Amino acid sequence: MVLIDGKQTAADIKKEIAAEVEEILARGGKRPHLAAILVGHDGGSETYVASKVKACEECGFKSTLIRFEDDITEETLLDAVRKLNEDEDVDGFIVQLPLPRHISEQRVIEAIDPSKDVDGFHPVNVGRMSIGLPCFKSATPAGIMTLLERYNVPTKGANVVVLGRSNIVGKPVATLLMQKAAVGDATVTVCHRETRNLKEICRNADIIIAAMGRPGFVTEDMVKDGAAVIDVGTTRVPDASRKSGFRLSGDVDFNAVAPKCSFITPVPGGVGPMTIVSLMRNTLQAAKQRAAEA
Ligand code: GUN
């Protein structure tokens, strides 16, 4: 069994990005600039955004964090998005989700200039990805694909089962894995809460990608010997022994499942760090595209 080390892979890629930034600066180019909008004080979002700002420092990027309170109006938020679209210094930006209920996430996402949408959430980027055109791929699916690539997990002709059909993970990772590509060419089944015979479907999988946000959902009896298991779950479960009062739990019963696997990702330290590094890659790509067009 190979434990896929997302933390180390992410550290390696951040070094590669930082070296490329140094080259750009040495040639007289501009430092890549990522901006993030954070609305409210959700604990998970605060942590994610702080990690993104820290990753920017590690990669040699400039970062700007724009904060609003929960009671911001949709119009004010849309104005902030429009300003970032027009800001010549900003190469890419994200609006951290979830947003308060009175704001339409879809309207906000669609207001982002697709050429600055480094989250890859705008329908233009989602559509381009689905037909295999150059685009910003959303960060978690791109991070999963990088792990499969760097660990040489065979995908060609493989039966892949994706658990969960979210717009952020399940749908895009299924789309990427079915593409005609070196990491791709898989036969993909997407399962969700209405799926019948879910256990049997999983037992036939060469690769399981678990992304439903249900701690410990994938048990040993659902995994065939030699399968690769990618755990995208990051549910906060109460844990009085931790200073924070919680720990992150994946969607896979790791201790029982790991001995059967050819490859498995831990939580934390698997897919999570790769998500942030994919955002950094997209930001570098955005900066290079903008420099080429200038
Ligand atoms: N909330 C959870 N994951 C993400 C992400 O990848 N991007 C943004 N903007 N919000 C998120």
Side-chain angles (χ1 to χ4, degrees):
M1 185 270 290
V2 175
L3 188 66
I4 294 181
D5 189 342
K7 203 170 160 193
Q8 184 60 51
T9 309
D12 294 345
I13 295 174
K14 277 188 273 192
K15 280 203 194 110
E16 293 164 18
I17 294 173
E20 207 173 330
V21 171
E22 285 306 313
E23 274 174 35
I24 291 170
L25 297 177
R27 288 198 307 267
K30 171 188 155 306
R31 197 177 282 287
H33 182 184
L34 173 70
I37 297 180
L38 175 59
V39 179
H41 300 275
D42 173 76
S45 293
E46 293 265 7
T47 308
Y48 285 134
V49 169
S51 304
K52 290 169 186 177
V53 169
K54 180 163 168 268
C56 281
E57 281 165 26
E58 291 167 342
C59 292
F61 295 176
K62 178 177 174 184
S63 69
T64 303
L65 175 57
I66 300 165
R67 303 193 66 128
F68 294 105
E69 291 303 320
D70 274 320
D71 59 0
I72 184 180
T73 64
E74 187 175 291
E75 202 41 46
T76 307
L77 184 55
L78 288 170
D79 272 342
V81 167
R82 290 182 202 117
K83 279 203 190 95
L84 289 174
N85 284 341
E86 283 157 22
D87 187 330
E88 283 301 320
D89 194 60
V90 170
D91 297 298
F93 66 98
I94 63 159
V95 180
Q96 187 66 26
L97 306 179
L99 292 172
R101 287 237 297 273
H102 65 277
I103 296 176
S104 159
E105 289 188 350
Q106 201 53 37
R107 215 169 285 146
V108 172
I109 288 168
E110 290 189 36
I112 299 172
D113 178 338
S115 74
K116 291 192 175 186
D117 168 39
V118 285
D119 256 333
F121 290 169
H122 191 286
V124 165
N125 281 312
V126 177
R128 289 178 67 89
M129 184 191 69
S130 75
I131 55 173
L133 293 175
C135 63
F136 294 117
K137 297 187 182 88
S138 62
T140 303
I144 294 169
M145 299 301 279
T146 303
L147 286 178
L148 296 174
E149 181 186 14
R150 294 212 171 195
Y151 278 82
N152 291 311
V153 178
T155 58
K156 190 180 179 127
N159 287 326
V160 176
V161 170
V162 177
L163 300 173
R165 57 179 161 185
S166 70
N167 289 343
I168 292 184
V169 184
K171 277 181 208 156
V173 81
T175 302
L176 289 171
L177 277 160
M178 76 169 84
Q179 299 280 355
K180 194 170 168 60
V183 185
D185 273 340
T187 304
V188 184
T189 307
V190 180
C191 298
H192 46 77
R193 64 179 69 245
E194 304 297 340
T195 299
R196 289 190 209 114
N197 307 326
L198 190 140
K199 279 195 183 203
E200 287 83 86
I201 294 169
C202 286
R203 274 200 286 267
N204 190 37
D206 302 306
I207 302 174
I208 296 177
I209 298 181
M212 325 78 85
R214 288 171 65 180
F217 180 86
V218 177
T219 47
E220 179 261 332
D221 57 328
M222 294 163 71
V223 179
K224 97 172 164 192
D225 279 325
V229 174
I230 307 294
D231 190 348
V232 192
T234 50
T235 307
R236 288 180 163 198
V237 296
D239 184 341
S241 73
R242 303 284 174 102
K243 213 167 77 185
S244 61
F246 68 86
R247 66 189 152 79
L248 286 186
S249 174
D251 287 350
V252 178
D253 179 359
F254 183 89
N255 290 336
V257 168
K260 300 184 82 175
C261 294
S262 53
F263 299 90
I264 189 165
T265 60
V267 175
V271 173
M274 292 303 295
T275 296
I276 292 176
V277 106
S278 299
L279 176 67
M280 299 299 121
R281 269 187 162 169
N282 282 350
T283 303
L284 179 59
Q285 184 190 327
K288 288 190 331 196
Q289 276 167 216
R290 287 175 62 74
E293 284 160 13

